[in-house]
Amino acid sequence: MGVRASYDQVRESHVVLFPEGVLVLNDTAAAVVDLCDGRTNVAGIAERLAADFDGVELQDVTDLVDRLVARRVVDLDG
């Protein structure tokens, strides 16, 4: 897929680099991307985030992952 997550020192932000460009992530989105390991489903990602952050909602995580899939940043099909 050619996608890589990293921290951009210049932007002082988490980013995802992909062939079409750069996606700058906020801290929440960066945490979700970090948990996209190909084994954990969206509900599991939400559970893991909820252990560390207040106010994590499954629907919010689902919506974010759907947007990342649409941008071809993550792939749910493995």
Side-chain angles (χ1 to χ4, degrees):
M1 194 188 259
V3 175
R4 184 172 57 97
S6 67
Y7 186 81
D8 186 317
Q9 296 292 337
V10 174
R11 291 181 177 94
E12 297 182 349
S13 298
H14 296 276
V15 296
V16 173
L17 307 171
F18 55 105
E20 294 83 18
V22 177
L23 179 63
V24 178
L25 305 173
N26 63 26
D27 290 338
T28 304
V32 170
V33 168
D34 284 344
L35 293 172
C36 290
D37 59 10
R39 295 181 305 267
T40 308
N41 64 19
V42 175
I45 291 170
E47 286 177 23
R48 290 177 64 184
L49 289 173
D52 294 330
F53 303 101
D54 292 330
V56 174
E57 298 288 335
L58 174 59
Q59 189 59 53
D60 294 338
V61 175
T62 300
D63 292 345
L64 175 58
V65 170
D66 287 346
R67 289 192 307 272
L68 293 171
V69 168
R71 303 254 338 237
R72 302 184 70 190
V73 172
V74 298
D75 180 6
L76 295 181
D77 295 330

